[in-house]
Amino acid sequence: MNQTKIISRILFYICSVLSAGYLITALYALLCLATGFSVTPYGNGQYLHINYPFTQQPFLNIEDNYPYIIFSFMLVLIPYGIFFWLSAKVFRVFFQPKLFTKEHILQLKRFYLFNIFIPLPLVIIASFFVEVESIIWGLVFIHFMLGIFCLFLANIFKQGLHLQNEQDLII
């Protein structure tokens, strides 16, 4: 179990950093696009550089059209920020002193609900406005499978909580 705690702690920190990176990038990009701060058009106005703050060095390169910005840029950054945040919370479960708790089951439930019910509708909606590459459908399937796996884990945790509570009553 010690190995699990070490690995889950490392993955918790990695996912936390990734989540913060995605969400801060999305927030910064929204701020730049809304205000024009640190944005440089190029390619005859077809593309935009979102520059690093207070520099002219490109940080992000995006197409300058609203369907792309919304469906191929923001609808990738924000959900992946949430995905990594939920992942961090799931990994956090596995290095806690008490494994089977209602709060841990809730964390697993949030993760599986997100992965089962969010990616497919987002990609379907996006496909009406932008071209969706075939690899994206593979990612949707992977998220669905992660969600199903986490659903199984949540059910195991529910059973563990039930058995743990019964043992507490006997002892």
Side-chain angles (χ1 to χ4, degrees):
M1 194 63 181
N2 197 29
Q3 180 184 27
T4 301
K5 288 185 178 195
I6 292 168
I7 293 169
S8 63
R9 189 178 297 269
I10 291 167
L11 290 173
F12 165 75
Y13 290 119
I14 290 170
C15 287
S16 295
V17 168
L18 287 171
S19 174
Y22 272 99
L23 293 173
I24 290 168
T25 299
L27 188 64
Y28 177 68
L30 280 172
L31 173 76
C32 291
L33 292 169
T35 64
F37 168 76
S38 204
V39 174
T40 308
Y42 71 99
N44 296 326
Q46 291 181 321
Y47 304 98
L48 297 173
H49 285 308
I50 297 176
N51 300 320
Y52 285 102
F54 310 111
T55 71
Q56 291 299 318
Q57 294 295 323
F59 171 52
L60 301 167
N61 300 313
I62 61 173
E63 289 182 22
D64 189 12
N65 66 65
Y66 287 112
Y68 175 86
I69 291 169
I70 294 167
F71 297 106
S72 293
F73 184 60
M74 286 299 159
L75 274 178
V76 173
L77 286 178
I78 294 169
Y80 267 107
I82 295 168
F83 168 77
F84 283 116
W85 176 66
L86 292 172
S87 297
K89 291 183 129 320
V90 167
F91 286 124
R92 189 169 191 266
V93 164
F94 292 100
F95 63 83
Q96 300 305 307
K98 195 169 185 180
L99 196 57
F100 301 115
T101 68
K102 287 182 180 180
E103 178 61 31
H104 293 165
I105 294 168
L106 181 62
Q107 295 305 327
L108 293 168
K109 183 177 181 180
R110 288 176 182 154
F111 185 79
Y112 78 70
L113 288 173
F114 180 84
N115 280 283
I116 291 172
F117 295 111
I118 299 299
L120 182 60
L122 286 180
V123 172
I124 289 172
I125 291 167
S127 70
F128 289 113
F129 301 98
V130 293
E131 183 181 342
V132 176
E133 295 180 24
S134 59
I135 194 165
I136 302 303
W137 297 107
L139 287 173
V140 168
F141 179 73
I142 290 169
H143 279 284
F144 182 78
M145 294 304 291
L146 274 172
I148 296 298
F149 181 73
C150 203
L151 170 67
F152 293 163
L153 273 177
N155 287 332
I156 291 168
F157 271 55
K158 283 179 191 173
Q159 186 65 31
L161 179 63
H162 174 71
L163 293 173
Q164 178 178 281
N165 289 341
E166 279 184 4
Q167 269 189 336
D168 288 346
L169 292 175
I170 293 172
I171 295 173

